[in-house]
Amino acid sequence: MAIGVIRETERRPLPFDKLGVIIAALALYGAFLAPFATFRANRIVQGEGKAILEALPPSLGYGLLAVVMFGAIVAVLRTSVLVRMAAAFVALVALCFLVGRAAGSLAPADNAYARVSPASGFWVLVLAFALLVADALTRLNPGPGLRLLFLAGALALIGAMLATGQWDGLSILKEYASRAETFWAEAGRHLTLALGSLAVATAFGLPLGILCHRVDRLRAAVLNVLNAIQTIPSIALFGILIAPLGWVATHVPGAQAIGVRGIGVAPAFVALFLYSLLPVVANTVVGLAGVPRAANDAARGLGMTEGQRLVRVEFPLAFPVILAGIRIVLVQNIGLATIAALIGGGGFGVFVFQGIGQTAMDLVLLGAVPTVLLAFMAAIVLDALIEVTGPKHSRGKAA
């Protein structure tokens, strides 16, 4: 009888959620032990951390603590997915709204030099409730359309905070205000480097991958070379390309007219193109190799030529795998394009390295935050597209 009771106890689920305990611990640490905002007399001096009750008026401070406590309790208990999602959403909206209020509360309105920025406690709280959202989404297992809807909602929240001026007092927005024109110019260069190199790599990589799939001996040689390129550090590859591109700019007529120089956009673009080739070529080879033999046999039986089989049968079946390689390239290029600023290539890295040189961390964030957001958005959108074009989705649609 005692053994049966012990076994029954072991089978009984715990009354709390294991991941929720970690989320609650992070939330409580961010709310009570870590500073919520950092105040600095100017943009380069060391800041002074302020707790939630120091950074906000009492009513708002205690209200935020109550929201955090409620979210922590919801995370720990085995609550429904919708309740967890709602609690996390309310907490994130409150954090986004109140961090802007903290800037107005800490910095005098007539002081143009004071800087207020989110501190570690704010970021820990955002991490905790973002984990709660991710956990709820995993349990909900939404389709690609719903995931894109959640992304649109998050972007709408950020856009609303920017449009209504709730974050205008934050130091990162003050850095932006003094560099708005430069910011959008560098944003254009960043996207040109990331998307342009991806487009050229796709145009070259797809035919090369098809050729490698058809010719075994060529496959080993090409993939080994591309693997070797992938091992070269990005800064080193940028430097290696300066000399040959400088020679081309000097000796090839018309090269400078189209922007080819030893420093600037050209070496950054070529380096990103070279880094992009391996995922595109390798995933093309893997995708084509994974096409079922029965599909090819059926296509031959219908009298299709090799080119028709490639276009109508093999490529559509391999497309989700190829698209996964393109996703890797795009996220990778968005991050690597930041390094291009070191050789005059522009992009968001301009603000990152300027901020490092001036010990102005808010200027660093002005370059780093949009880079992270772009990579995050690209990953979600392409993941949804991969799922839509995948065989499971196609079978479900056909059914």
Side-chain angles (χ1 to χ4, degrees), residues 157-237:
L157 174 62
I158 295 173
M161 293 296 168
L162 293 172
T164 57
Q166 291 294 330
W167 290 346
D168 285 354
L170 294 176
S171 54
I172 186 173
L173 267 296
K174 290 186 176 182
E175 296 289 350
Y176 166 77
S178 62
R179 297 171 172 81
E181 187 175 346
T182 304
F183 177 88
W184 291 110
E186 299 302 341
R189 292 190 185 96
H190 199 100
L191 289 174
T192 299
L193 284 171
L195 298 177
S197 58
L198 169 63
V200 176
T202 303
F204 278 85
L206 286 178
L208 186 58
I210 293 169
L211 190 59
C212 289
H213 172 67
R214 297 284 191 262
V215 183
D216 291 339
R217 285 188 293 181
L218 180 64
R219 180 193 313 165
V222 169
L223 291 180
N224 285 336
V225 171
L226 295 180
N227 272 308
I229 293 173
Q230 202 77 13
T231 62
I232 303 174
S234 56
I235 297 178
L237 185 56

Side-chain angles (χ1 to χ4, degrees), residues 269-293:
F269 191 94
V270 173
L272 292 176
F273 162 73
L274 293 174
Y275 281 131
S276 303
L277 280 176
L278 178 62
V280 175
V281 173
N283 278 52
T284 302
V285 172
V286 172
L288 292 174
V291 174
R293 187 172 181 177

Side-chain angles (χ1 to χ4, degrees), residues 31-195:
F32 294 100
L33 299 179
F36 181 73
T38 301
F39 172 80
R40 294 192 298 276
N42 58 60
R43 65 195 294 266
I44 61 174
V45 299
Q46 187 174 2
E48 179 185 357
K50 300 289 186 179
I52 288 178
L53 294 179
E54 295 174 314
L56 293 168
S59 59
L60 295 179
Y62 284 113
L64 179 58
L65 291 177
V67 170
V68 171
M69 289 293 295
F70 175 75
I73 293 171
V74 169
V76 169
L77 299 178
R78 289 186 175 275
T79 50
S80 69
V81 173
L82 294 180
V83 171
R84 298 171 80 84
M85 183 75 73
F89 178 75
V90 170
L92 289 172
V93 171
L95 287 168
C96 290
F97 176 76
L98 292 178
V99 73
R101 292 297 301 270
S105 177
L106 291 174
D110 57 347
N111 190 340
Y113 299 101
R115 293 289 188 268
V116 177
S117 57
S120 60
F122 170 81
W123 296 115
V124 170
L125 285 169
V126 169
L127 172 64
F129 291 109
L131 283 174
L132 187 58
V133 170
D135 177 52
L137 286 175
T138 302
R139 300 182 188 194
L140 190 61
N141 193 22
L146 191 55
R147 291 205 300 273
L148 292 177
L149 187 62
F150 277 113
L151 175 62
L155 294 177
L157 174 62
I158 295 173
M161 293 296 168
L162 293 172
T164 57
Q166 291 294 330
W167 290 346
D168 285 354
L170 294 176
S171 54
I172 186 173
L173 267 296
K174 290 186 176 182
E175 296 289 350
Y176 166 77
S178 62
R179 297 171 172 81
E181 187 175 346
T182 304
F183 177 88
W184 291 110
E186 299 302 341
R189 292 190 185 96
H190 199 100
L191 289 174
T192 299
L193 284 171
L195 298 177

